Amino acid sequence: APPQPPPAAAAVPPPATAPASSDPQAATKTRLGIKELRAICHGAGINTVGMERGQLEAAAEEVRKRGTYFDPPPGMHAPSEEEIRARQEEYRKQEELRRQEEYRKQEEEFRRQEEFRKQEELRARQEELRRRQEQEAIAEQKRREAEEARRRAVEEEARRRAAAEEEARRRAVEEEHRRRLAAEEQLRRQQEAQARYQQQQAAWLRQQQEEEQRRRAAEQQAAEQRRRHEEAMRKQQQWAGSTSQQHHQQQQQQWTHQRNHSHPQQQNNWQRQHYPQQHQNAAPPPPQNHYQQQQQQQQHPHHHSAADEKYAAMANQTGDDGQAVITRIKHDILIQWALQPPQLQMLRPIDALITTIHKVFPPALGVSGHDYFTKWKPISAADIAGASGLPEEEKLKKSVRKIRFFLHPDKLPHDLNEEQKFMTKMLWDVTSDAWEEFQKHKADLDWVK
């Protein structure tokens, strides 16, 4: 806002001349007012702006000491009212000139500030215009860049889509090729399995024929031994009395009963008992180690164990109990892995089961696969063999523990289907029973020793 012109100087009232008093104490007791004190100071030419009452009284006292207005020095008279008015008018004019000069300076400062403000506003408008132009140029540049990026993105998307289509076509061709190779591989495996099955059947037939031949030879030998025994019995009956004849007849009947119902080993024991001369010159059998005796005992046992009978009965089951898939898996496990061909009446040795268990893990036998079964590391025959090349009990025990840990229900994944769960349980049971049979045969052989 432009400066306001200074107000006209108010006329300073002339100080009142105090009449001379002969009583100085009365003069000191009189207290002047603020206006009177200011008037005294203004009359002496003292500026009282900002003075308080104490300062005004001190200034008035100084004027009194100098003799101004009150006690003029000798030879001078006190100023008259006209002189006081003249001095006051002169002081007012000086104040007026001073105020006008200050007003002029304020006007000049105001005009200078106004000019500076206008220049600043002009410069600000120019700067704002320049900044707006730069922003518009930047926005236009960004718009062009965005348009270019959008165009490149569209081109890149088109190239990516074309590449994806080409990759999909390539994968489809590769998948078709893999399916064709898998079908050929499956057909080849089926043919190989069929050929192996035919070979097994032929071997089984040959073994049956050999066993039949051995059985006939054993029957012929038993018939010859029976004929010789009967001949000996007739010779003994010729010279024996009537009482001994009855005893021999009972012995003949007992021998016939034993021949028809006893085990071949018992017949051999009976033959050794009645014909010791035929076996005295026989060479003793060669010594065998523990594992060979156990293998021979498992291959030619005197009787089937409870586990053998259980799994043989399971393999011979033909009825359908409403779970055809489970029954098929059970038969496949028993026939192709657990039971010993061709009779399929007893479990295979524990070392054979351990080294071939990975062949019946899913996806074998028509059961869907799972990533868990790919973690199994197959156990080879060298892993369980000792220094002699035969399986060692400690290594077999360690391998059985490894299989049990892998097939334990708490270690299996929770997303296995019913077929996979049944297969793991079946493999667990067969391995455990085979290990128990191994321990049982070992205990029997140790007792015999």
Side-chain angles (χ1 to χ4, degrees):
Q4 300 295 330
V12 179
T17 57
S21 176
S22 59
D23 190 2
Q25 295 179 356
T28 56
K29 292 181 180 179
T30 304
R31 189 176 182 182
L32 300 177
I34 295 297
K35 293 183 179 181
E36 293 175 349
L37 293 173
R38 289 183 181 278
I40 291 172
C41 293
H42 289 168
I46 299 174
N47 187 8
T48 60
V49 177
M51 287 187 178
E52 296 182 355
R53 183 178 181 84
Q55 295 174 350
L56 290 173
E57 289 179 351
E61 182 65 21
E62 183 68 24
V63 171
R64 188 186 65 78
K65 288 180 180 180
R66 289 187 305 186
T68 307
Y69 303 129
F70 298 102
D71 297 327
M76 293 184 65
H77 63 279
S80 61
E81 294 182 358
E82 287 79 7
E83 291 177 351
I84 291 173
R85 291 191 186 93
R87 289 180 180 177
Q88 291 179 352
E89 183 67 21
E90 182 65 25
Y91 177 75
R92 186 186 62 76
K93 289 181 180 179
Q94 290 178 359
E95 286 291 324
E96 183 70 23
L97 290 175
R98 184 181 62 79
R99 292 181 180 178
Q100 289 179 359
E101 182 65 22
E102 290 180 356
Y103 178 72
R104 185 183 61 78
K105 289 180 180 180
Q106 290 179 358
E107 285 186 345
E108 289 179 357
E109 181 67 21
F110 176 75
R111 284 195 298 273
R112 187 178 62 79
Q113 292 179 357
E114 187 69 17
E115 184 68 21
F116 180 76
R117 184 182 63 79
K118 290 181 180 179
Q119 291 179 359
E120 287 294 326
E121 289 180 354
L122 178 61
R123 187 162 55 253
R125 285 196 297 271
Q126 292 176 354
E127 183 67 22
E128 181 67 22
L129 179 61
R130 182 184 62 79
R131 188 164 53 251
R132 188 179 300 138
Q133 290 176 354
E134 289 179 356
Q135 291 178 355
E136 290 178 355
I138 293 173
E140 181 65 21
Q141 181 68 20
K142 290 183 177 179
R143 187 187 63 79
R144 287 197 297 269
E145 290 178 356
E147 185 68 24
E148 182 67 19
R150 189 162 50 250
R151 184 183 60 79
R152 286 197 300 268
V154 171
E155 294 177 355
E156 183 67 23
E157 180 66 20
R159 287 195 297 270
R160 186 187 64 79
R161 189 175 301 170
E165 293 177 356
E166 182 65 23
E167 181 69 16
R169 287 194 297 269
R170 184 183 63 80
R171 289 183 178 179
V173 173
E174 292 179 355
E175 185 66 23
E176 181 65 24
H177 181 64
R178 281 197 298 271
R179 283 199 297 267
R180 188 169 59 253
L181 292 179
E184 294 176 356
E185 181 67 18
Q186 185 177 6
L187 180 60
R188 184 183 62 80
R189 290 181 179 178
Q190 291 178 356
Q191 293 176 355
E192 291 179 355
Q194 186 175 3
R196 286 196 301 271
Y197 177 74
Q198 292 177 357
Q199 293 176 0
Q200 291 177 358
Q201 289 292 331
W204 181 75
L205 292 176
R206 287 194 301 271
Q207 187 175 2
Q208 290 291 334
Q209 293 175 359
E210 292 175 357
E211 289 182 357
E212 183 66 20
Q213 292 176 0
R214 287 195 296 271
R215 185 182 61 80
R216 291 178 179 177
E219 290 179 354
Q220 292 177 359
Q221 185 178 1
E224 181 65 21
Q225 292 177 358
R226 188 168 57 251
R227 185 185 63 77
R228 292 179 182 178
H229 177 69
E230 291 175 353
E231 184 68 23
M233 290 295 294
R234 281 196 304 268
K235 289 180 180 180
Q236 290 178 2
Q237 288 176 1
Q238 289 177 1
W239 58 269
S242 60
T243 56
S244 61
Q245 184 177 3
Q246 185 177 2
H247 173 70
H248 284 291
Q249 289 177 357
Q250 293 177 357
Q251 191 176 8
Q252 179 72 17
Q253 293 176 359
Q254 184 179 1
W255 179 84
T256 305
H257 178 69
Q258 291 179 356
R259 181 178 57 83
N260 294 330
H261 299 283
S262 63
H263 197 272
Q265 182 66 26
Q266 297 177 357
Q267 295 180 6
N268 294 333
N269 294 334
W270 186 89
Q271 292 175 5
R272 288 189 183 96
Q273 182 178 0
H274 289 79
Y275 301 96
Q277 293 81 7
Q278 297 180 3
H279 299 277
Q280 288 178 356
N281 298 327
Q288 297 179 349
N289 58 20
H290 171 74
Y291 183 79
Q292 289 176 346
Q293 292 177 359
Q294 186 172 356
Q295 290 293 101
Q296 183 177 2
Q297 187 174 0
Q298 291 182 2
Q299 293 177 1
H300 303 285
H302 297 295
H303 63 277
H304 296 300
S305 63
D308 294 336
E309 294 177 356
K310 178 181 72 172
Y311 290 113
M314 293 172 60
N316 293 326
Q317 289 178 356
T318 58
D320 189 2
D321 56 353
Q323 297 181 350
V325 178
I326 299 299
T327 304
R328 179 186 59 80
I329 296 174
K330 184 196 315 180
H331 286 182
D332 292 342
I333 292 176
L334 293 175
I335 294 174
Q336 299 186 22
W337 176 68
L339 297 178
Q340 186 172 356
Q343 290 87 357
L344 302 176
Q345 297 297 320
M346 55 186 299
L347 289 174
R348 298 176 66 188
I350 185 63
D351 59 321
L353 296 178
I354 290 174
T355 55
T356 58
I357 192 172
H358 62 279
K359 297 181 179 180
V360 290
F361 279 160
L365 306 181
V367 180
S368 59
H370 195 279
D371 295 338
Y372 177 75
F373 297 102
T374 59
K375 301 177 183 179
W376 172 259
K377 182 180 179 181
I379 301 174
S380 62
D383 296 335
I384 59 177
S388 62
L390 299 176
E392 288 186 354
E393 182 180 359
E394 291 299 327
K395 293 185 178 181
L396 288 174
K397 183 177 180 180
K398 183 177 179 181
S399 301
V400 171
R401 189 182 298 114
K402 178 180 178 182
I403 294 174
R404 288 181 175 177
F405 182 82
F406 187 77
L407 298 177
H408 197 277
D410 295 339
K411 299 298 181 181
L412 295 175
H414 297 288
D415 57 346
L416 294 180
N417 56 28
E418 294 299 329
E419 299 176 3
Q420 294 169 347
K421 292 180 180 179
F422 176 79
M423 175 173 282
T424 55
K425 183 179 182 302
M426 188 76 180
L427 297 178
W428 170 285
D429 294 340
V430 172
T431 306
S432 301
D433 292 339
W435 175 249
E436 292 179 0
E437 289 296 321
F438 176 81
Q439 295 290 328
K440 186 186 301 182
H441 290 307
K442 175 180 176 298
D444 294 341
L445 292 176
D446 292 342
W447 181 83
V448 171
K449 289 182 180 179

